Amino acid sequence: MVYITLFFVSLISATLFPLGSEGLLIFNINEGYNLYALLIFATLGNVLGSIINYILGFKGEQFLQNKKILDENKIFKYKKFFEKYGFYSLFLSWAPIIGDPITLIAGVFKYSFKKFIFIVLISKFLRYLFLSLVTLYLI
């Protein structure tokens, strides 16, 4: 049950809802649960949350244009920018505050889904791995 809870907390925290999974991960590590399982469940939940953001952005672009929230000319300009630097910016998907909107923007700009998954999976895993190592060896 611990792993499923961590999965869902990680999933929700990767969407635009304000929730953090780091505290639960640290608590579970200190309680002695299997580190590898914790890393897998936290990473997969967080990546799935980012995929939800991507899909919302992908499907929501037309809605935002219809509501005049996004200007079509600006979208084209920003798409070109994201095509050039999106790869690097997605490595910040692990970061608090800016990470979740970046995954949404990747969907709006229809960034390559395969590249998206690859980058987000690596960055989310490395964040949880770093946090786990700090917890194990410094706390």
Side-chain angles (χ1 to χ4, degrees), residues 1-11 13 19-46 94 123-137 139:
M1 190 65 168
V2 168
Y3 304 108
I4 300 299
T5 302
L6 180 62
F7 174 85
F8 282 109
V9 168
S10 298
L11 184 149
S13 70
L19 183 65
S21 58
E22 295 84 2
L24 183 59
L25 177 67
I26 291 170
F27 176 79
N28 289 334
I29 290 170
N30 287 330
E31 289 295 306
Y33 290 101
N34 184 296
L35 179 63
Y36 300 113
L38 292 172
L39 282 172
I40 290 169
F41 279 87
T43 300
L44 291 179
N46 218 244
W94 65 268
S123 66
K124 302 280 188 173
F125 174 76
L126 289 176
R127 174 186 68 171
Y128 285 123
L129 179 63
F130 176 77
L131 186 61
S132 298
L133 293 174
V134 166
T135 301
L136 287 172
Y137 296 109
I139 297 178

